[in-house]
Amino acid sequence: MTNVSFTTDDFAAIPLHKIGCNDKLVADVFVKIGEKFIKFKEHGDFISEEKFNYFISKNVKELFVHVESKAAFETAVEEAKQEAIETLTEEIGEENRDLAEKQIDLREKIYETFLDEKLSNETVDLLKTQVDDFISAVKDKNPSADIFLKLTNMNNTIAEHSMNVANLSLLFGMVTGQSSSIVLENLYMGALFHDYGKAKIPADVIEKPNSMAYEKAIKNHPNAGVEFLKSLPNIPQPVLTIVAEHHEQFSGVGYPKGISGEAIYGLSRIVQIANAFDNIVFENRKNKAKMYTNAIKVLEYDKGKQFDPELLPRIIDCLKLSVGNFTREREKK
Ligand SMILES: [Fe+2]
């Protein structure tokens, strides 16, 4: 970074969510630190996804360009977006153009909402639409579609729970700033198959919850799920990690490894919260008036124990705004 002395009048702010990562920059880009503008990227360079995520984590909302470059910069950003839509439309067919547009809008919308300091009903509704769109774009893709069909045939209750957890995990992921399609797809698959190992436990074992065999099978189900998924081609490592770690707890008292804090992969911590929430709601399902609020209370109570204390507040805000308002497979009946 180069330190340059300019005044505020020399610069125009560009909202972070408007700038695409990995797109060639058509002007020098600056960050504002205190009252100083520091050159961050040269014309012709690009901003990596990693850097974007760093900005998000530091709550950086705007980058800056020289005033005279603003119009050209905005035009280039819009052109890059249109180009991305065209490329994706070519891949998935003209009849799916609206899907391509939605997918390209996803990142922008997530950044936009993430940069809202306080969540509103409107923001949460927008994110839920993004979740629905994302799921309709990926649900028929393989290998996910095939594995999910197998899971449904093996154990429909677990399949429904898994769909709820996938839905919630995407919402929680987006609300905490995850916006890359690849990351979201890994999160979706990990959540969808987190209990695959549980579905494979034989009926005579699952029917005896007080037996040693039951306890052993439950303790081993994350590993059993990983073993099965590993036998298939093209399952990304983050998906395996999520399945392996979905019962680990932030304080280190989970299983099977008993790892704690940031040693647990970030996406696993999201799925773990979604899994616990859906299970608590299911246990309270007879009390329709209170099942969601009770589940939120349990999450709040366990902040920093079971659950990541940094992720949880925003997830709880999001749940409070969407309680009783999102689709859960188990409530459709
Ligand atoms: Fe599980």
Side-chain angles (χ1 to χ4, degrees):
M1 286 191 193
T2 319
N3 193 347
V4 197
S5 284
F6 288 107
T7 70
T8 307
D9 292 344
D10 295 323
F11 289 93
I14 308 280
L16 186 65
H17 65 265
K18 291 279 176 201
I19 306 173
C21 67
N22 298 322
D23 288 338
K24 200 171 166 193
L25 299 168
V26 297
D28 293 346
V29 170
F30 297 77
V31 289
K32 192 177 179 194
I33 299 176
E35 289 310 303
K36 281 186 176 168
F37 291 90
I38 315 278
K39 192 192 281 186
F40 163 61
K41 287 285 175 190
E42 298 269 351
H43 181 177
D45 211 342
F46 66 93
I47 303 175
S48 68
E49 188 149 356
E50 198 186 0
K51 206 64 190 172
F52 252 93
N53 290 335
Y54 175 78
F55 283 141
I56 288 284
S57 73
K58 296 290 171 200
N59 211 20
V60 172
K61 298 183 176 188
E62 296 165 329
L63 296 177
F64 295 83
V65 294
H66 283 297
V67 165
E68 62 270 23
S69 312
K70 187 180 183 229
F73 195 88
E74 285 176 340
T75 307
V77 163
E78 189 50 37
E79 277 172 7
K81 188 176 156 187
Q82 290 309 322
E83 206 180 301
I85 292 172
E86 291 309 320
T87 311
L88 191 57
T89 305
E90 246 171 62
E91 255 175 56
I92 61 176
E94 188 56 43
E95 68 280 13
N96 293 316
R97 176 174 286 273
D98 59 331
L99 217 58
E101 282 170 359
K102 278 181 179 164
Q103 205 153 328
I104 300 299
D105 269 348
L106 178 69
R107 163 173 225 111
E108 201 171 299
K109 290 227 170 70
I110 292 172
Y111 277 136
E112 209 170 336
T113 55
F114 182 64
L115 297 174
D116 284 352
E117 294 206 340
K118 210 166 160 14
L119 281 173
S120 64
N121 272 314
E122 218 175 22
T123 305
V124 173
D125 282 348
L126 187 111
L127 286 179
K128 282 191 300 191
T129 309
Q130 298 304 308
V131 169
D132 290 344
D133 288 349
F134 188 85
I135 290 182
S136 48
V138 298
K139 75 177 171 34
D140 296 328
K141 271 170 82 171
N142 273 324
S144 303
D146 275 354
I147 309 173
F148 190 67
L149 187 64
K150 264 190 197 153
L151 180 62
T152 309
N153 290 336
M154 266 196 298
N155 188 322
N156 197 40
T157 309
I158 290 182
E160 285 178 356
H161 160 67
S162 303
M163 189 44 99
N164 288 335
V165 175
N167 211 306
L168 284 167
S169 296
L170 283 174
L171 183 62
F172 296 170
M174 288 183 190
V175 88
T176 53
Q178 298 293 344
S179 66
S180 142
S181 298
I182 297 168
V183 172
L184 291 171
E185 218 168 306
N186 288 337
L187 180 59
Y188 169 76
M189 278 178 78
L192 205 54
F193 305 128
H194 73 279
D195 263 350
Y196 201 96
K198 194 172 179 182
K200 285 177 88 78
I201 300 175
D204 61 328
V205 174
I206 217 85
E207 279 158 12
K208 291 182 191 126
N210 295 320
S211 67
M212 290 282 282
Y214 177 88
E215 197 179 321
K216 198 176 160 200
I218 287 293
K219 282 267 159 69
N220 189 49
H221 84 270
N223 289 334
V226 170
E227 283 316 308
F228 164 72
L229 291 169
K230 261 186 177 171
S231 69
L232 305 172
N234 305 324
I235 305 292
Q237 181 57 45
V239 175
L240 301 177
T241 307
I242 293 170
V243 175
E245 296 179 350
H246 76 275
H247 282 291
E248 299 294 350
Q249 295 191 13
F250 199 79
S251 60
V253 297
Y255 63 90
K257 282 190 180 158
I259 49 176
S260 62
E262 302 208 345
I264 307 168
Y265 179 46
L267 299 184
S268 307
R269 281 179 259 149
I270 291 174
V271 173
Q272 184 236 353
I273 298 172
N275 181 37
F277 183 78
D278 192 63
N279 281 333
I280 304 162
V281 171
F282 186 66
E283 282 157 19
N284 284 280
R285 65 191 176 283
K286 290 200 174 121
N287 187 353
K288 287 233 183 289
K290 287 196 170 168
M291 60 184 184
Y292 292 116
T293 41
N294 283 348
I296 291 173
K297 276 185 197 154
V298 175
L299 294 189
E300 272 171 336
Y301 176 78
D302 260 353
K303 178 177 156 187
K305 296 176 212 162
Q306 273 201 66
F307 311 117
D308 182 337
E310 285 202 6
L311 283 176
L312 203 62
R314 197 156 166 98
I315 288 175
I316 285 180
D317 284 351
C318 171
L319 279 170
K320 282 180 177 166
L321 291 169
S322 47
V323 152
N325 204 9
F326 50 76
T327 318
R328 296 176 70 263
E329 296 297 318
R330 287 166 180 172
E331 260 62 70
K332 280 182 186 167
K333 292 174 183 169

